[in-house]
Amino acid sequence: MHPYRMQQLIKERRKDEVINVRQRTSIYQTIDRLLRDELITVQETLREEGRPDRTIYEATAEGKQLSLEWLREMLSTPVQEFPEFPVAVSFLSLLAPEDVQLQFEKREHALDTELKHVEAELQTFKEIIPRLFMLESEHKRAVLAAELQWVRAIAEDIRTGVLVWNEEWIREIARRLNSPE
């Protein structure tokens, strides 16, 4: 399959929600690396008048083996990932509680909208696409639902005064943590 078709298929099959293929150049860079490492090989080059050549690639035996090892490792071994949201949460004390509540309410709306989209997609395609090929959407739904529940709980705790802070309180905590005992 040639790179442009790879990108089209990924988008057509909605896998671009889990695979970043926004820039075709990254696909070409990946292909160049795979060729250099002899994990793929050129199967054929198609030439059509008035169109650029289209090179079709296939995995080598080593490439197939390595991709299966990679897949097994990703499925079995949790890794530390660094998404932006937990970073922002770790610094939310820089904002006033009311501001955090407002931002969390905005996030709650966005998460709820995305969750409804994923649920609708799962519902729409459940009779067309076997569940095996929709598992990443099920995972996304579960992660969105968990985050939405957590964001709602924190926003509610701020709203009801269960979770509060101010600059004076933060300075006192910093003094306590920094003083030798």
Side-chain angles (χ1 to χ4, degrees):
M1 185 177 312
H2 55 88
Y4 180 72
R5 184 64 183 139
M6 289 177 199
Q7 184 183 36
Q8 284 180 316
L9 278 176
I10 289 168
K11 288 181 178 182
E12 285 171 15
R13 294 177 182 171
R14 305 187 77 137
K15 300 299 183 187
D16 59 326
E17 294 184 14
V18 292
I19 301 170
N20 184 1
V21 292
R22 289 184 189 100
Q23 301 207 357
R24 195 172 323 127
T25 55
S26 65
I27 293 175
Y28 284 101
Q29 290 167 348
T30 300
I31 287 172
D32 287 343
R33 189 173 68 243
L34 292 170
L35 277 169
R36 182 189 67 229
D37 295 345
E38 298 180 350
L39 299 173
I40 62 172
T41 186
V42 174
Q43 183 183 34
E44 67 178 303
T45 300
L46 303 175
R47 291 178 172 81
E48 292 180 35
E49 193 171 319
R51 300 189 75 171
D53 290 352
R54 291 184 295 162
T55 304
I56 299 180
Y57 303 92
E58 66 181 341
T60 62
E62 183 183 357
K64 289 175 187 175
Q65 180 62 34
L66 189 60
S67 67
L68 295 176
E69 290 172 18
W70 177 65
L71 179 59
R72 287 183 184 106
E73 184 175 329
M74 286 193 307
L75 289 171
S76 66
T77 310
V79 296
Q80 179 65 45
E81 297 175 311
F82 299 96
E84 291 179 358
F85 183 60
V87 174
V89 169
S90 74
F91 287 100
L92 65 77
S93 64
L94 297 174
L95 299 174
E98 301 78 20
D99 194 0
V100 172
Q101 178 186 336
L102 176 64
Q103 302 316 313
F104 271 34
E105 287 168 354
K106 289 178 184 178
R107 187 174 189 92
E108 179 182 339
H109 176 72
L111 290 168
D112 189 52
T113 300
E114 181 64 15
L115 182 58
K116 287 176 181 168
H117 168 76
V118 171
E119 287 173 343
E121 183 178 81
L122 284 166
Q123 195 64 30
T124 298
F125 294 113
K126 77 177 186 179
E127 301 299 325
I128 302 167
I129 300 172
R131 182 175 179 218
L132 175 64
F133 303 109
M134 297 298 291
L135 290 176
E136 73 273 11
S137 293
E138 286 184 22
H139 176 264
K140 185 175 184 177
R141 176 181 58 193
V143 170
L144 284 167
E147 184 177 332
L148 179 58
Q149 180 183 4
W150 185 82
V151 166
R152 282 181 173 152
I154 299 302
E156 180 64 17
D157 285 352
I158 294 170
R159 190 174 16 267
T160 60
V162 172
L163 180 60
V164 295
W165 66 92
N166 59 42
E167 192 172 333
E168 182 181 324
W169 180 81
I170 291 169
R171 288 183 191 279
E172 175 56 32
I173 298 297
R175 272 193 296 278
R176 270 196 321 206
L177 293 174
N178 289 326
S179 69
E181 293 194 30

